[in-house]
Amino acid sequence: AHTQRHCHAAQLSDLDEKIELNHQMNKTLEAIAQAIFKRWFVDFEFPDKNGKPYKSSGGGLLDSELGKIPEGWEVKSLDQIADFLNGLALQKYPAKGERYLPVIKIRELNQGITESTDKASPEIDIEYIVDDGDILFSWSGSLQVCIWCHGKGALNQHLFKVSSSEYPKWFYFYWVKFHLPEFQHIAQ
C-alpha cells in the first residue's frame, strides 16, 4: 500500500509539473503574440512586399489624427472595429428546474465556474450566451480582457462580449488588450 501511495504521489507531482509547464508556455506564447502585434500594428514594422520591416525599410507613411500611419491604413476607434455587448441583469432571469446556464461575472473571469456560481435561465437571447473562445471585457472593478474557456454561460451586466463581423478575433482582442492600461488609468 505504501508503494502504491508513493506511485500516486509521484504521478500527481508529474501532473503538477506538466500543468505548470503548460502555464509557462502559454505565458511565453502570449508574450510573443503581443510583441508581434505591437511590432506590426503599433511600430509599423510588419513585413513589406519584400519581407523587410515596413517602416525601417522606407515604407510610405501618411499623416493622420494620431500621427504617421502606413499608406492605405486608416484610423478607427475600438467601437468601430468591434461590437461591445453589455451583459444582462441576470437576477431577472432565474433558473427554473434542472436546466440552467452558469452566470459569468467578474469572479468567474478569475476563477472559472465554481459551486458558488449563480445560475440563470437558458431562455435568454442567444447573443447573451457565452461560448468558449468568446472575448470578454470587464469594465467594472478590475478592468480586464480575456478569451473565455470555461464552457457555455450567461453574460452578466458589467461584462461585455466583444465581437466583430468585419475583423478577425485576434485583431480586436489585441487592440483591446493594447488599450487596457489606458482604460485602467482612466478608471483609477
Side-chain angles (χ1 to χ4, degrees):
H2 175 69
T3 305
Q4 191 175 15
R5 278 197 303 267
H6 177 72
C7 184
H8 287 305
Q11 288 173 336
L12 288 175
S13 177
D14 287 347
L15 277 176
D16 286 343
E17 288 176 20
K18 287 179 182 178
I19 290 169
E20 181 56 32
L21 181 60
N22 279 341
H23 286 303
Q24 291 304 319
M25 287 188 334
N26 286 343
K27 285 180 186 176
T28 301
L29 290 171
E30 176 66 20
I32 291 169
Q34 284 184 16
I36 291 170
F37 179 84
K38 182 181 181 298
R39 182 153 172 82
W40 285 18
F41 295 99
V42 178
D43 301 334
F44 308 133
E45 294 293 13
F46 54 89
D48 67 9
K49 63 184 176 196
N50 300 315
K52 305 278 187 202
Y54 183 84
K55 185 177 177 184
S56 59
S57 296
L61 297 174
L62 301 173
D63 288 326
S64 80
E65 65 224 56
L66 295 178
K68 301 273 188 188
I69 62 172
E71 292 176 352
W73 285 30
E74 60 184 326
V75 173
K76 289 188 173 184
S77 62
L78 281 177
D79 67 342
Q80 290 176 305
I81 65 166
D83 299 313
F84 291 76
L85 176 69
N86 192 3
L88 298 170
L90 287 169
Q91 67 271 20
K92 296 178 182 176
Y93 303 89
K96 295 175 182 150
E98 296 297 313
R99 292 184 58 242
Y100 67 88
L101 286 171
V103 175
I104 302 171
K105 298 180 179 180
I106 294 170
R107 179 182 59 203
E108 282 70 27
L109 290 185
N110 297 319
Q111 300 173 6
I113 306 298
T114 66
E115 291 293 319
S116 59
T117 296
D118 292 337
K119 297 172 179 153
S121 168
E123 305 304 320
I124 59 173
D125 192 313
I126 194 165
E127 67 182 346
Y128 295 99
I129 296 177
V130 174
D131 286 303
D132 286 340
D134 285 342
I135 294 175
L136 302 182
F137 173 58
S138 160
W139 61 271
S140 179
S142 61
L143 278 70
Q144 59 186 304
V145 61
C146 74
I147 299 174
W148 180 254
C149 60
H150 300 288
K152 193 175 289 291
L155 184 70
N156 198 54
Q157 60 190 349
H158 305 297
L159 292 180
F160 286 102
K161 183 162 72 168
V162 187
S163 61
S164 177
S165 58
E166 288 186 56
Y167 296 93
K169 189 177 291 189
W170 64 265
F171 186 74
Y172 57 87
F173 173 71
Y174 281 109
W175 273 120
V176 173
K177 201 166 181 93
F178 178 79
H179 288 289
L180 196 59
E182 183 182 339
F183 299 149
Q184 291 167 334
H185 178 74
I186 291 168
Q188 288 175 352

